């Protein structure tokens, strides 16, 4: 982990915090989009890699450069390989074969499958409760179970976005609060089962873009857990300093 | 004893025999078996009672006595231990009777301690009456459920046991109904609940591994598809026993395992003077139905666990979930929850349950479902409906993560009535129904266990599921979630697929059914 942020004054921390949150939210937003049934421009987004470039620029040590390249190449190769037919349709078929069905699929994208071996389990209820503890709930028109990989990724994106807004308003305590929520969510929910979900594709051939996508997601989550903790530590230290100097000033 | 008897709760006891040990040892605590017999003839009309002076050792008399009668149900009360019971069970088997359905109890369980003799007689009669109802609810033993009982490799075997091993011992195991089992859809509820890994999910069916199964009953509760049957510990039999116990005005009922019961009988037997015990194979067998049934009779319920880790390995979390739900429901209906969880050391050390004559509301006339097949979910729905009726709550919805029912809705009219969800539903909650010139998707809330299979498999992503109770739908009427007219051939008029489904399919051009559905997934 880079040491360059350790002794930043608050003004620079706010700026860095904002940029990092922006990059992280962008990465999880792309992950969420790609984990849903394919939309028309998904391949273009994956090929361009714009959404992930901010993350790579700020955190080149994340070990994601190769993974992003692998995903970009897979997306480009998929598009050119299916140029005779509709590549998005072909991607949809690939998605259904791996994640949705009909029939048995190798990798169901629900957290409770990996945490307790069933869907709509206790961990599903736990993640739903976690959402509501932050004042959020899955949109009911997104008719799927609350612990779907895309929904959990969207949730993470949303709370990182709220952290970003806090940095923008120079509201350190609120930014700290949202960082704490992210860390708990990564450690107890999404981050616990996503690696197991990824490993389900290890022995599957013809995964299209999905094995590179999940491997990128796994690397992102593993690094991001540490990154969030690091930012939180610095933010707390800065908040303490801020409070100490405010008290000194008052007395 | 005949097998394949219907599971009905009978108030005539002609098919029941009760054997009592006539040794009048200290286990009887001064109770006269002869007098007890007179009380039993009054409490259980038609019952056959035999007193054998040294039941535990006079095997010839016992065997001759059993062979001379042809009875469907038997209860044997001895002063011996489990070894004695196994020996007697073998003797019963030698007469050709169904030995697996026989209930063996230690006399100590029957008679209360530290009470006047007359009260102990009454208590013994009450418990024998309850056990009689349970014994008569035993459905008979299916030969496929019998397996050789072997001690585990890690068990320390005494010399006496070593000699005992020479005689094969058999017992009844849980059995999986493959028609109801959702194993094919990736369900692992029972496997996850089993503390010893006795459920084998490989291949196309679930099998119980006889050499591992300890008979704890966790799987029975975990499988909300009602696909596991386990005679002796079925809900119907336990229901019969509980209702038998609660016919008189007693303050409370205690659910506990055998280990906790034996410990408490030594260190604090007074608790059983105010709380009638229901001894389960393990607390993993506890389910909300049993708790609510007891509460519906207006008594306090306590669950007594061991203070240390359970040697049956039952999951505290599943038992706590049952308790949490029952407490939540009682509060929502405006009743005193009166359901407590304690360990036996806490009971022994304090006066937590001193007295306890107070009757806790509600007391309702719960009409049992006269089903011969055990559908746990339906029974629970029926009971909750009765409780809710008593509380004046006949409509409205409550949602909570502990509720084992699901409320399903269709979003934005997306349903095309393709029928995939009905094929995935293993409980019968979703089905096709007819309407004039069309079809409809019907949902039965009292069958829905919120498993989520329908949501996962819906190609239109049209279903939204949440855990909750809709009091207006608990009694079993189906609600129409979606409907569509059927398309007709423009030439001959024969009906075809629902119009909504045809429209979706036609949008996609020439695609195979798998890819049709794949294309449907792209459009939301």
């Amino acid at each position: 982990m880079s040491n360059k942020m350790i002794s930043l004054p608050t003004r620079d921390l706010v700026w860095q915090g904002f940029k990092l949150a922006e990059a992280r939210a962008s990465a999880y937003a792309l992950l969420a989009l790609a984990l849903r049934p394919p939309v028309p421009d998904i391949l273009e987004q994956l090929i361009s890699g714009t959404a992930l470039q901010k993350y790579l620029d700020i955190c080149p040590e994340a070990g994601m450069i190769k993974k992003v390249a692998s995903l970009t190449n897979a997306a480009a190769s998929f598009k050119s390989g299916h140029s005779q037919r509709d590549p998005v349709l072909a991607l949809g078929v690939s998605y259904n074969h791996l994640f949705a069905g009909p029939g048995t699929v190798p990798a169901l994208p629900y957290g409770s499958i990996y945490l307790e071996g069933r869907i709509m389990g206790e961990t599903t209820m736990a993640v739903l409760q976690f959402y509501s503890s932050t004042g959020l709930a899955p949109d009911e028109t997104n008719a799927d179970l609350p612990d779907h990989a895309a929904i959990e990724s969207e949730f993470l994106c949303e709370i990182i976005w709220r952290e970003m807004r806090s940095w923008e308003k120079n509201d350190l305590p609120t930014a700290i609060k949202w960082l704490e929520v992210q860390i708990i969510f990564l450690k107890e929910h999404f981050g616990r089962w996503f690696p197991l979900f990824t490993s389900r594709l290890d022995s599957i051939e013809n995964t299209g873009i999905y094995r590179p996508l999940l491997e990128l997601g796994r690397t992102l989550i593993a690094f991001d857990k540490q990154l969030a903790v690091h930012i939180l530590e610095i933010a707390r230290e800065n908040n303490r300093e801020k409070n100490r100097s405010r008290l000194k000033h008052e007395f | 004893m005949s097998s394949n008897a219907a599971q009905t709760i009978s108030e005539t006891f002609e098919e029941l025999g009760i054997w009592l040990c006539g040794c009048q040892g200290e286990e009887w605590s001064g109770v006269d078996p002869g007098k007890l017999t007179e009380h039993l003839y009054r409490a259980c009309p038609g019952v056959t009672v035999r007193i054998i002076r040294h039941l535990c050792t006079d095997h010839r008399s016992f065997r001759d006595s059993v062979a001379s009668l042809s009875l469907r149900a038997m209860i044997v009360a001895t002063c011996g231990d489990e070894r004695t019971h196994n020996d007697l069970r073998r003797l019963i088997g030698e007469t050709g009777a169904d030995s697996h359905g026989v209930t063996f109890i230690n006399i100590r369980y029957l008679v209360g301690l530290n009470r006047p003799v007359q009260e102990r007689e009454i208590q013994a009669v009450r418990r024998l009456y309850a056990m009689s109802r349970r014994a008569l609810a035993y459905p008979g033993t299916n030969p496929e459920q019998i397996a050789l009982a072997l001690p585990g490799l890690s068990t320390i075997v005494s010399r006496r046991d070593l000699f005992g091993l020479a005689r094969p011992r058999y017992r009844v195991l849980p059995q999986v109904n493959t028609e109801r089992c959702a194993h094919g859809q990736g369900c692992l509820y029972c496997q996850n609940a089993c503390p010893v890994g006795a459920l084998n999910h490989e291949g196309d069916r679930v099998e119980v591994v006889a050499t591992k199964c300890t008979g704890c009953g966790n799987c029975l509760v975990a499988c909300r598809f009602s696909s596991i049957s386990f005679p002796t510990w079925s809900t119907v039999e336990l229901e019969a026993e509980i209702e038998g116990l609660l016919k008189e005005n007693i303050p409370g009922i205690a659910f506990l395992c055998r280990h906790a019961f034996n410990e408490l009988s030594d260190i604090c037997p007074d608790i059983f003077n105010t709380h009638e015990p229901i001894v389960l194979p393990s607390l993993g067998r506890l389910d909300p139905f049993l708790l609510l049934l007891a509460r519906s009779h207006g008594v306090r319920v306590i669950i007594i666990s061991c203070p240390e880790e359970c040697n049956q390995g039952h999951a505290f979390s599943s038992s706590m979930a049952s308790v949490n739900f029952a407490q939540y429901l009682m509060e929502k209906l405006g009743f005193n929850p009166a359901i407590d969880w304690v360990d036996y050391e806490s009971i022994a050390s304090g006066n937590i349950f001193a007295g306890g004559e107070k009757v806790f509301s509600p007391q309702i006339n719960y009409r049992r479902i006269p089903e011969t097949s055990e559908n746990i979910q339906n029974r629970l729905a029926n009971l909750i409906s009765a409780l809710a009726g008593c509380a004046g709550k006949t409509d409205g919805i409550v949602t909570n993560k502990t509720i084992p029912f699901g409320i399903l809705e269709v979003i934005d009219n997306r349903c095309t009535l393709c029928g995939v969800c009905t094929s995935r539903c293993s409980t019968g909650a979703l089905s096709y129904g007819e309407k004039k010139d069309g079809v409809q998707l019907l949902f039965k809330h009292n069958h829905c266990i919120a498993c989520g299979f329908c949501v996962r498999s819906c190609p239109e992503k049209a279903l939204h599921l949440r855990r909750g109770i809709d009091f207006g739908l608990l009694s079993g009427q189906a609600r129409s979630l979606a409907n569509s007219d059927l398309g007709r051939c423009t030439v001959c008029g024969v009906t075809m697929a629902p119009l909504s489904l045809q429209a979706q399919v036609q949008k996609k051009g020439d695609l195979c059914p798998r890819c049709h559905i794949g294309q449907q997934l792209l459009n939301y």
Side-chain angles (χ1 to χ4, degrees):
Chain A
M1 187 71 59
S2 163
N3 288 328
K4 63 179 178 177
M5 291 184 291
I6 288 178
S7 55
L8 279 175
T10 307
R11 175 177 55 82
D12 291 331
L13 167 65
V14 170
W15 175 242
Q16 287 281 8
F18 176 85
K19 295 303 287 180
L20 273 166
E22 188 185 37
R24 293 171 65 226
S26 182
Y28 284 111
L30 181 69
L31 186 65
L33 187 65
L35 286 171
R36 285 206 177 272
V39 294
D41 64 342
I42 183 61
L43 282 170
E44 283 73 24
Q45 291 202 38
L46 291 173
I47 291 169
S48 74
T50 319
L52 293 164
Q53 196 55 47
K54 291 179 194 172
Y55 202 104
L56 294 180
D57 289 341
I58 295 185
C59 300
E61 70 276 27
M64 278 173 41
I65 296 176
K66 279 190 184 163
K67 304 283 183 192
V68 172
S70 177
L71 176 61
T72 306
N73 292 339
S77 162
F78 191 92
K79 188 175 179 184
S80 62
H82 292 88
S83 53
Q84 300 297 322
R85 298 181 59 195
D86 181 359
V88 177
L89 174 60
L91 194 62
V93 171
S94 175
Y95 179 91
N96 292 336
H97 282 169
L98 296 172
F99 306 127
T104 316
V105 296
L108 281 166
Y110 302 103
S112 58
I113 290 284
Y114 305 96
L115 296 175
E116 56 186 307
R118 60 186 246 202
I119 53 170
M120 274 300 273
E122 298 305 318
T123 51
T124 312
M125 298 298 110
V127 85
L128 198 56
Q129 193 159 9
F130 191 90
Y131 295 157
S132 82
S133 72
T134 62
L136 295 168
D139 181 4
E140 284 183 5
T141 57
N142 279 334
D144 215 321
L145 301 175
D147 59 346
H148 189 284
I151 295 179
E152 292 203 8
S153 196
E154 277 174 21
F155 171 74
L156 203 45
C157 171
E158 174 65 28
I159 56 178
I160 294 172
W161 185 86
R162 291 183 182 212
E163 178 208 338
M164 189 178 88
R165 288 279 157 255
S166 308
W167 290 121
E168 202 176 25
K169 293 177 200 166
N170 202 4
D171 182 355
L172 211 52
T174 308
I176 288 172
K177 178 192 109 178
W178 286 117
L179 275 164
E180 287 166 348
V181 171
Q182 291 161 40
I183 289 165
I184 295 171
F185 187 69
L186 282 167
K187 282 189 175 163
E188 295 181 7
H189 296 284
F190 197 35
R192 269 176 74 197
W193 64 267
F194 197 87
L196 303 168
F197 169 45
T198 305
S199 63
R200 284 285 178 99
L201 295 192
D202 284 349
S203 55
I204 310 293
E205 293 176 6
N206 300 323
T207 59
I209 65 162
Y210 289 107
R211 187 186 290 119
L213 175 73
L214 294 194
E215 285 177 358
L216 172 66
R218 180 168 56 185
T219 308
L220 168 69
I221 289 167
F223 181 79
D224 206 56
K225 264 195 250 186
Q226 298 176 64
L227 179 62
V229 169
H230 187 72
I231 302 170
L232 177 65
E233 281 168 6
I234 299 173
R236 278 178 177 159
E237 183 54 43
N238 272 270
N239 198 37
R240 277 193 287 268
E241 280 296 329
K242 210 172 164 184
N243 290 336
R244 269 196 287 263
S245 37
R246 197 184 73 234
L247 282 170
K248 251 192 221 171
H249 178 77
E250 281 169 8
F251 288 101
Chain B
M1 213 182 288
S2 63
S3 59
N4 299 322
Q7 279 184 297
T8 52
I9 316 302
S10 167
E11 283 299 314
T12 63
F13 300 85
E14 283 146 6
E15 294 176 304
L16 173 73
I18 301 178
W19 275 258
L20 303 173
C21 179
C23 66
Q24 292 201 274
E26 62 177 32
E27 299 277 0
W28 279 108
S29 299
V31 173
D32 178 6
K35 268 195 165 175
L36 187 61
T37 304
E38 289 169 23
H39 291 306
L40 278 172
Y41 284 139
R42 278 195 290 274
C44 308
V47 69
T48 303
V49 182
R50 293 285 182 268
I51 300 175
I52 296 179
R53 190 165 169 76
H54 295 289
L55 180 61
C56 306
T57 51
D58 188 359
H59 290 177
R60 178 182 285 183
S61 302
F62 176 69
R63 186 175 49 211
D64 292 345
S65 171
V66 171
S68 66
L69 300 161
S70 177
L71 295 165
R72 182 167 72 79
M74 294 176 60
I75 298 174
V76 180
T78 78
C79 35
D81 58 9
E82 203 177 324
R83 281 198 208 103
T84 308
H85 297 166
N86 289 333
D87 291 339
L88 295 176
R89 196 185 293 278
R90 181 180 50 80
L91 290 171
I92 294 169
E94 287 173 6
T95 68
D98 181 0
S99 61
H100 299 284
V102 176
T103 306
F104 286 93
I105 42 173
N106 189 286
I107 289 161
R108 206 183 182 200
Y109 169 76
L110 288 182
V111 302
L113 302 174
N114 304 332
R115 300 194 96 180
V117 171
Q118 295 92 329
E119 287 182 24
R120 284 185 230 151
E121 274 176 13
I122 293 169
Q123 191 159 40
V125 172
R126 178 165 57 223
R127 289 183 184 168
L128 278 170
Y129 169 74
M131 298 183 84
S132 300
R133 298 177 89 245
R134 179 171 165 179
L136 286 166
Y138 183 74
T141 307
N142 180 348
E144 288 176 18
Q145 281 183 277
I146 301 171
L148 192 62
L150 295 169
L153 290 174
S154 59
T155 305
I156 296 172
V157 179
S158 68
R159 270 194 297 184
R160 184 176 168 179
D161 284 338
L162 205 56
F163 287 110
L165 280 177
R167 287 197 208 108
R169 267 172 287 169
Y170 296 87
R171 58 185 174 86
V172 174
L173 293 180
Q175 189 180 37
V176 180
N177 180 332
T178 48
E179 284 175 13
R180 285 191 192 161
C181 179
H183 157 69
Q185 299 191 63
C187 175
L188 295 173
Y189 288 26
C190 57
Q191 187 179 56
N192 291 342
C194 180
V196 296
L199 285 151
N200 186 357
H201 271 248
E202 287 173 26
D204 61 352
R205 45 190 290 159
V206 178
E207 287 175 348
V208 180
V209 181
T211 50
K212 289 185 180 176
C213 178
T214 60
C216 68
N218 284 17
C219 53
L220 188 61
V221 177
C223 180
R224 300 217 58 88
F225 296 101
S226 301
S227 68
I228 295 184
S229 66
F230 192 14
T232 306
W233 298 111
S234 70
T235 303
V236 172
E237 291 163 81
L238 287 169
E239 183 181 349
E241 183 176 357
I242 291 170
E243 291 203 319
L245 269 181
L246 298 179
K247 277 211 159 182
E248 293 177 37
N249 196 16
I250 58 167
I253 199 164
F255 290 97
L256 71 174
C257 66
R258 207 169 283 122
H259 175 73
F261 175 78
N262 290 338
E263 292 291 323
L264 265 178
S265 298
D266 287 333
I267 59 179
C268 185
D270 285 350
I271 186 67
F272 300 128
N273 295 333
T274 53
H275 292 76
E276 289 292 342
I278 293 283
V279 179
L280 301 172
S282 86
L283 279 183
R285 177 59 192 90
L286 198 65
D287 78 60
F289 180 83
L290 301 178
L291 298 170
L292 293 172
L293 180 68
R295 282 297 289 115
S296 71
H297 285 264
V299 300
R300 178 192 216 129
V301 174
I302 57 169
I303 298 99
I304 305 176
S305 65
C306 301
E308 67 277 359
E309 199 176 306
C310 175
N311 61 9
Q312 289 277 4
H314 91 261
F316 264 155
S317 60
S318 63
S319 318
M320 277 310 300
S322 300
V323 171
N324 289 340
F325 168 59
Q327 288 172 328
Y328 168 81
L329 187 69
M330 285 283 117
E331 281 169 5
K332 275 291 169 191
L333 295 178
F335 298 126
N336 182 340
I339 299 174
D340 298 298
W341 180 303
V342 290
D343 66 74
Y344 62 71
E345 281 183 359
S346 302
I347 294 176
S349 64
N351 286 325
I352 305 174
F353 301 108
E357 284 83 20
K358 183 179 170 187
V359 173
F360 296 87
S361 60
Q363 270 181 315
I364 63 167
N365 289 322
Y366 161 61
R367 191 170 50 82
R368 185 184 306 106
I369 298 176
E371 279 183 30
T372 53
S373 65
E374 184 168 333
N375 183 323
I376 299 171
Q377 194 72 357
N378 209 15
R379 294 186 103 81
L380 181 59
N382 189 43
L383 177 56
I384 293 174
S385 184
L387 281 166
C390 182
K393 203 166 177 67
T394 52
D395 57 19
I397 291 174
V398 292
T399 58
N400 185 274
K401 66 172 187 170
T402 63
I403 295 175
F405 289 87
I407 299 175
L408 195 66
E409 285 150 347
V410 166
I411 296 166
D412 293 345
N413 295 316
R414 288 182 198 163
C415 176
T416 59
L417 287 113
C418 64
V420 171
C421 57
T422 61
S423 68
R424 292 288 183 267
C425 182
S426 296
T427 65
L430 281 169
S431 59
Y432 255 162
E434 287 179 8
K435 70 174 193 78
K436 191 170 181 297
D437 291 330
V439 288
Q440 51 183 339
L441 181 65
L442 296 173
F443 174 64
K444 277 192 165 183
H445 173 54
N446 64 331
H447 284 262
C448 180
I449 65 169
C451 65
F453 291 160
C454 52
V455 174
R456 166 168 98 66
S457 62
C458 176
E460 303 297 330
K461 292 298 171 192
L463 297 172
H464 175 67
L465 176 69
R466 50 190 170 140
R467 284 207 186 165
I469 293 178
D470 185 336
F471 290 104
L473 294 177
L474 268 181
S475 51
Q477 68 266 39
R479 183 160 66 95
S480 177
L481 297 181
N483 64 78
S484 172
D485 291 336
L486 284 172
R488 286 185 181 275
C489 173
T490 50
V491 174
C492 68
V494 73
T495 53
M496 301 186 295
L499 282 173
S500 51
L501 181 60
Q502 284 183 52
Q504 272 289 65
V505 168
Q506 278 161 11
K507 260 194 227 172
K508 307 309 162 200
D510 282 332
L511 296 172
C512 75
R514 190 185 174 98
C515 296
H516 274 142
I517 293 173
Q519 190 61 23
Q520 285 159 12
L521 277 169
L522 291 176
N523 266 346
Y524 79 91

